Amino acid sequence: MTVRGPWKGEQKSSKFFGIVDLRKKMVFKAVLGLLLGIVKAQIDLAKEIFKAELSIKSGNLSEAESIYKEISRHFRDNDVFRSKYAEFLMAKGEYDEVIKEFGRDQGMKEKIKRAHECFSILLSNNIRLIATLIKESPYSRPVLESYIQVCLIDERLEEAEKFIKKSRSLFPSRPEFIHQEMQLHFLNGTFSIGIKMLSDLGYKEMAFSFRNILSAYEKIKESSLGSRDKYVRLDKLMRSISLVESDSNFFPSIFSALKLNVIFDLCRSGVEGGMQGLSNRARYLYSKRNNEDTMYLYIMALVFDGDIEEAEEKYRLFGFRNAKLRNHIAYRIETAKMERENARREREEKRHRRRRHMEDGYGGMARNKWDFLGYYKLLGFKEGEKPDEKEIKKAYRKTVVENKKKKKTKQQEKEWEETFKKVNKAFGVLTDKKKREMYNKGIDPDNPQQPSGFGSDPFQKMFRGFGDFEVFDFGGGRRGGRRATTTYFYF
């Protein structure tokens, strides 16, 4: 039966339509089943990946690895799986496996490139570079070891403690993490636990030495010795620590925290006793323990070492909250300034006294050769000038005219007469070419035999009062057949 409609042609029968609908349903079901299968597979994949990530977070890397291997049997070509598996291998630090497994995958070029870079860093053996991989490879043994070591060196002890716990859970039998935990105890100041771990690791001699040094330090602290005696003993203890430390192979040193404690007490004793030479130790102490007490010791050490300006600058910039420390530092700085000024004045006075003594003593031995008799000075010339004859005559006339014009008392007239005689003598010497040359060489033209630069015989004053020279004869007659000798003493 055919059915005609408003369109051209004939409609197919309802039976035919039923067959077509059935085929469509079958195709639809097949497509739907396929889609559901794909979705189910993706869901299963997501579940397995989620399980693997949970295992990683709990620190069970072996379980996570087995899950990924199981997934790879069914989803080896799946992009999501490949990406996640590559991230897992990177997190473990297996960069060579990433390169080997996914080296030809064009869709993972960036990850392969980064894997090559990380592998190069790992081969460099530079712990600071390797530590930078901690975000990409938080489960890699060498990366964890390097990162913890850097934290210990930089004294980021809380961070080091966190990663040591993580590493011990991931790699419980690895000795390097046990060593790092032992170092952490020493750096934290829990010496008793550190000594026990050190002994358990086989370093019994080092543990014994550390225990003895710690005991000696505690005895010095508890003693009633004076500041200077404590300083001396602590200084000796520091030398002992340095000797023992040189024999240890731990880096950072297990003695670091103990050394800082000893240096703190040593600087405090030295400051209380007014000792010098503490600046370097106090600076090191402040760089490690940045607080008011260490800055106080550093500033006081600078004051005692004479670096008052630097001490004052540190005091001004730091800003002490403790009023007692602040006032004491201000007082010590002002006192040191006054002492330095007094010492400077005393040195100046000594220098002036010595200069006057040299100028006046021993007949003028230290007079200047340039004008050792003062002729140029009498005519008004400055030190170092060597005028010619015209300038000398001009200066002479000026000196005479100026003094004649001045009104003078009788006493001043007498003084001028004496001075005028000297001026005339100076003029006579300096206007004579030969005499001037001799005078410029430091020779007195009126007494050329006298040594240059000396006003009179240097020994004349020294032996004044001894009188004439005498010869004393202590000789005697012959004794015992030997010839008598005469001994002369000349004074």
Side-chain angles (χ1 to χ4, degrees):
M1 179 180 179
T2 58
V3 180
R4 292 186 179 273
W7 58 85
K8 292 181 180 180
E10 297 178 350
Q11 277 190 346
K12 294 181 180 179
S13 65
S14 58
K15 187 177 181 181
F16 176 77
F17 278 113
I19 294 168
V20 171
D21 290 342
L22 182 63
R23 285 179 181 175
K24 284 182 179 179
K25 285 179 182 179
M26 289 175 66
V27 171
F28 177 74
K29 283 182 180 180
V31 171
L32 184 62
L34 182 63
L35 290 173
L36 288 173
I38 292 169
V39 171
K40 186 176 180 299
Q42 292 295 327
I43 290 170
D44 291 341
L45 175 63
K47 283 181 180 179
E48 293 299 317
I49 290 173
F50 182 69
K51 282 182 185 178
E53 287 181 351
L54 284 177
S55 300
I56 292 168
K57 285 182 180 178
S58 64
N60 197 344
L61 297 181
S62 57
E63 185 181 343
E65 190 168 6
S66 63
I67 291 170
Y68 274 117
K69 283 183 178 178
E70 185 66 28
I71 295 170
S72 66
R73 292 171 58 190
H74 306 286
F75 300 97
R76 188 169 188 80
D77 297 327
N78 187 282
D79 291 339
V80 176
F81 162 73
R82 290 171 71 80
S83 177
K84 288 290 182 182
Y85 188 48
E87 287 175 8
F88 172 69
L89 292 175
M90 289 285 284
K92 283 180 67 182
E94 296 179 1
Y95 310 116
D96 51 343
E97 283 294 320
V98 175
I99 296 164
K100 182 180 176 182
E101 189 76 24
F102 308 105
R104 296 180 181 179
D105 194 335
Q106 295 297 318
M108 298 180 68
K109 281 185 178 179
E110 291 297 323
K111 285 188 178 178
I112 300 301
K113 183 181 177 183
R114 183 57 186 161
H116 277 290
E117 291 173 359
C118 294
F119 191 62
S120 301
I121 290 171
L122 199 63
L123 293 175
S124 69
N125 291 325
N126 186 325
I127 60 169
R128 289 198 176 271
L129 278 176
I130 295 170
T132 59
L133 304 176
I134 193 66
K135 289 184 179 179
E136 289 173 299
S137 308
Y139 306 106
S140 167
R141 183 185 57 77
V143 172
L144 280 169
E145 184 186 352
S146 299
Y147 185 72
I148 292 167
Q149 194 69 14
V150 169
C151 288
L152 291 173
I153 292 167
D154 295 344
E155 295 186 359
R156 291 183 284 139
L157 302 183
E158 291 181 2
E159 186 82 356
E161 186 175 5
K162 184 176 82 173
F163 277 89
I164 284 171
K165 286 180 181 177
K166 179 180 177 180
S167 304
R168 290 295 303 275
S169 64
L170 291 171
F171 311 100
S173 60
R174 296 299 301 186
E176 55 266 29
F177 297 116
I178 301 172
H179 276 78
Q180 288 177 334
E181 186 178 0
M182 178 266 296
Q183 285 178 289
L184 179 67
H185 283 297
F186 278 109
L187 293 173
N188 269 331
T190 51
F191 299 126
S192 56
I193 301 172
I195 290 169
K196 186 178 182 305
M197 290 187 73
L198 188 66
S199 182
D200 293 341
L201 287 167
Y203 301 98
K204 292 185 179 179
E205 289 184 8
M206 185 62 66
F208 179 74
S209 300
F210 194 98
R211 192 180 289 110
N212 287 343
I213 289 171
L214 184 62
S215 175
Y217 170 57
E218 288 171 353
K219 283 180 182 177
I220 294 170
K221 277 183 70 177
E222 293 169 2
S223 68
S224 57
L225 294 169
S227 299
R228 287 177 174 261
D229 292 333
K230 269 190 180 180
Y231 173 83
V232 171
R233 294 202 179 187
L234 288 168
D235 191 42
K236 287 181 180 177
L237 186 65
M238 276 297 298
R239 292 174 196 167
S240 302
I241 291 172
S242 299
L243 286 172
V244 177
E245 189 179 24
S246 62
D247 295 333
S248 69
N249 298 320
F250 297 106
F251 185 75
S253 171
I254 59 175
F255 291 91
S256 297
L258 181 60
K259 273 172 66 177
L260 286 175
N261 293 342
V262 174
I263 290 171
F264 179 80
D265 288 316
L266 184 143
C267 289
R268 185 168 60 183
S269 301
V271 166
E272 288 173 1
M275 306 292 286
Q276 293 182 341
L278 292 170
S279 298
N280 291 333
R281 281 173 170 170
R283 186 187 296 112
Y284 172 75
L285 179 65
Y286 175 69
S287 68
K288 296 294 182 181
R289 294 180 180 175
N290 188 344
N291 55 48
E292 285 197 348
D293 292 334
T294 54
M295 176 51 86
Y296 165 76
L297 293 175
Y298 181 26
I299 292 173
M300 293 301 292
L302 288 171
V303 170
F304 288 131
D305 285 351
D307 297 332
I308 300 170
E309 286 75 17
E310 188 177 354
E312 194 170 16
E313 185 180 357
K314 298 282 183 191
Y315 168 70
R316 182 173 52 81
L317 293 175
F318 188 77
F320 283 87
R321 293 182 180 179
N322 189 323
K324 188 177 179 181
L325 295 180
R326 185 172 64 244
N327 295 336
H328 187 254
I329 290 171
Y331 167 74
R332 285 303 311 169
I333 288 174
E334 289 303 318
T335 305
K337 282 182 178 178
M338 290 173 62
E339 289 173 354
R340 186 174 65 178
E341 182 62 23
N342 292 337
R344 187 190 65 78
R345 287 177 182 173
E346 191 175 344
R347 285 196 303 272
E348 286 292 326
E349 288 176 5
K350 282 184 180 179
R351 190 156 51 246
H352 287 312
R353 284 199 298 271
R354 196 181 300 116
R355 190 180 299 153
R356 285 197 299 271
H357 175 70
M358 292 296 291
E359 288 176 354
D360 299 337
Y362 304 113
M365 288 175 68
R367 287 179 183 167
N368 191 353
K369 277 190 176 184
W370 169 77
D371 192 18
F372 64 98
L373 295 177
Y375 289 167
Y376 284 113
K377 197 172 181 181
L378 282 169
L379 296 175
F381 293 107
K382 294 180 181 178
E383 186 174 351
E385 287 184 333
K386 290 186 178 179
D388 56 14
E389 191 174 342
K390 286 183 180 180
E391 290 173 334
I392 291 167
K393 288 179 179 179
K394 186 178 178 182
Y396 172 74
R397 283 195 296 272
K398 183 180 177 183
T399 304
V400 172
V401 169
E402 283 180 357
N403 279 282
K404 277 187 176 181
K405 287 181 179 180
K406 286 181 182 178
K407 291 183 179 180
K408 295 182 277 295
T409 61
K410 289 183 179 181
Q411 182 65 28
Q412 288 174 340
E413 282 287 349
K414 288 180 181 179
E415 289 175 359
W416 164 242
E417 286 176 7
E418 293 295 324
T419 306
F420 187 63
K421 289 177 184 178
K422 293 178 182 178
V423 169
N424 281 333
K425 187 176 181 181
F427 180 71
V429 170
L430 297 177
T431 50
D432 188 307
K433 189 175 180 181
K434 289 184 179 180
K435 288 184 178 181
R436 186 167 72 248
E437 286 178 1
M438 291 173 69
Y439 183 74
N440 288 339
K441 290 177 182 178
I443 301 169
D444 187 356
D446 297 329
N447 189 9
Q449 299 299 323
Q450 184 173 310
S452 63
F454 296 92
S456 60
D457 186 0
F459 300 100
Q460 189 175 2
K461 287 185 181 180
M462 192 183 296
F463 298 108
R464 188 182 296 159
F466 282 91
D468 297 332
F469 286 44
E470 294 184 9
V471 179
F472 296 89
D473 183 2
F474 292 94
R478 294 176 180 271
R479 291 184 183 177
R482 295 180 65 186
R483 184 178 179 181
T485 58
T486 304
T487 305
Y488 297 95
F489 292 90
Y490 295 94
F491 295 92

